[in-house]
Amino acid sequence: NAGVTQTPKFQVLKTGQSMTLQCAQDMNHNSMYWYRQDPGMGLRLIYYSASEGTTDKGEVPNGYNVSRLNKREFSLRLESAAPSQTSVYFCASEGLAGGRGTDTQYFGPGTRLTVL
Amino acid sequence: SQKIEQNSEALNIQEGKTATLTCNYTNYSPAYLQWYRQDPGRGPVFLLLIRENEKEKRKERLKVTFDTTLKQSLFHITASQPADSATYLCALHTGGFKTIFGAGTRLFVKA
């Protein structure tokens, strides 16, 4: 199993450009998440999808859109990139921790995005 | 406001000693609390989970305590090794589909 995969690993954009970050999981999890991580701050939730066909805003959704394409894939789109969106982006899926009725998150390797 | 606080400064310890990391929170009533490890350039990896009705949880050299009265969790690594050097994140599961993460504490273990 690959777990959670993300593409691309690195990206440099100019202000105003658009791009889509891709995420896929092969663990048959229902819930998927997009976070951004900035120095000195915890992971901040951008959007999440509780199940296929549903998406909801997290703490910092402005400037982003998401698509839950199917159960495996959850993409994050920046329509018009801004320097404030320079960050490391992590995708995660959520499943049972050892089958004990509690959920834990499994993270991808991250996408390092710089907006000039 | 709701906050999670972890030691903002890095923790430097000698190999073989016990590392203790702190996670404090306010205005939450978490169903359970988790600790993750994050290495540079990588995503967080789950280590341990402790429920609100559990006082302590152990896994090999790791131990987590959870005091819901003090609103605090302590994360211990005994007999620490240089390979334990990483950033450790505390995360609260508050119900629903949202997990709140702390900013993390960097641990350096010197040989």
Side-chain angles (χ1 to χ4, degrees), chain A residues 34-54:
Chain A
W34 276 105
Y35 294 92
R36 60 179 289 172
Q37 187 175 42
D38 300 293
M41 304 184 74
L43 290 157
R44 291 186 292 168
L45 183 64
I46 304 171
Y47 271 93
Y48 67 98
S49 171
S51 61
E52 184 179 353
T54 69

Side-chain angles (χ1 to χ4, degrees), chain A residues 19-96:
Chain A
M19 78 162 295
T20 300
L21 282 64
Q22 306 287 353
C23 174
Q25 53 95 6
D26 61 3
M27 294 174 282
N28 201 36
H29 289 161
N30 286 320
S31 303
M32 296 185 72
Y33 302 79
W34 276 105
Y35 294 92
R36 60 179 289 172
Q37 187 175 42
D38 300 293
M41 304 184 74
L43 290 157
R44 291 186 292 168
L45 183 64
I46 304 171
Y47 271 93
Y48 67 98
S49 171
S51 61
E52 184 179 353
T54 69
T55 60
D56 282 287
K57 295 178 180 179
E59 179 186 356
V60 288
N62 291 344
Y64 305 95
N65 285 300
V66 291
S67 296
R68 183 74 182 267
L69 304 170
N70 47 55
K71 192 170 187 179
R72 290 187 64 248
E73 299 172 288
F74 188 36
S75 63
L76 178 72
R77 182 159 179 84
L78 287 70
E79 290 291 351
S80 179
S84 61
Q85 294 178 305
T86 294
S87 188
V88 181
Y89 291 85
F90 288 101
C91 175
S93 69
E94 188 168 71
L96 296 178

